[in-house]
Amino acid sequence: MSATDFVPIRVSTLRGEASLTFKAYISVGGKYILYCKEGDSLEGERLQRLQEKRLKKMWIHTADEDNYRQYMTANIEAAYDKSSNTPIESKDGSGRTTGCRRRSDGITR
């Protein structure tokens, strides 16, 4: 597979407790290495290692783009689920409070 077969995704969009609906790869030396299989989650040490390494993006195969969009939609809906007892600020799966940061250019992240 070549680089044109992959598209980047932000690690910050992945939730630790949610099972992936796609294969997630990391790029090492121009090669794409499978990091997490479809159906697995990034819970626990996996997500923590990514955060410690300050990895900002992972890669998915272009054929999985629709699966990634569905994953994102499901996680957004779960984050706003009023029947959940988990505060929206901590729904990234890490157990720590998260929030948006306002950049100097005024864009909220």
Side-chain angles (χ1 to χ4, degrees):
M1 288 187 252
S2 71
T4 59
D5 295 328
F6 293 89
V7 293
I9 61 171
R10 292 181 59 107
V11 171
S12 62
T13 64
L14 304 175
R15 293 182 56 192
E17 78 283 357
S19 295
L20 299 183
T21 57
F22 49 88
K23 294 176 184 171
Y25 298 82
I26 57 173
S27 178
V28 177
K31 295 184 180 184
Y32 296 92
I33 299 169
L34 181 63
Y35 188 79
C36 197
K37 300 183 298 190
E38 180 179 351
D40 287 352
S41 71
L42 289 170
E43 204 161 19
E45 288 184 25
R46 282 178 146 176
L47 187 59
Q48 185 177 0
R49 272 187 297 207
L50 293 175
Q51 292 167 341
E52 286 172 359
K53 298 284 184 188
R54 297 178 187 216
L55 188 70
K56 300 268 187 230
K57 59 184 166 180
M58 295 182 80
W59 301 85
I60 61 171
H61 196 273
T62 54
D64 277 333
E65 284 185 88
D66 285 339
N67 292 337
Y68 175 70
R69 285 189 192 101
Q70 291 171 1
Y71 170 88
M72 291 296 299
T73 299
N75 287 331
I76 290 168
E77 289 171 359
Y80 287 98
D81 181 3
K82 292 182 193 247
S83 65
S84 171
N85 292 329
T86 306
I88 194 167
E89 292 84 13
S90 63
K91 290 196 175 187
D92 74 343
S94 68
R96 68 183 201 289
T97 302
T98 60
C100 295
R101 295 178 310 186
R102 186 166 299 275
R103 297 181 347 183
S104 60
D105 59 7
I107 297 173
T108 302
R109 290 184 156 204

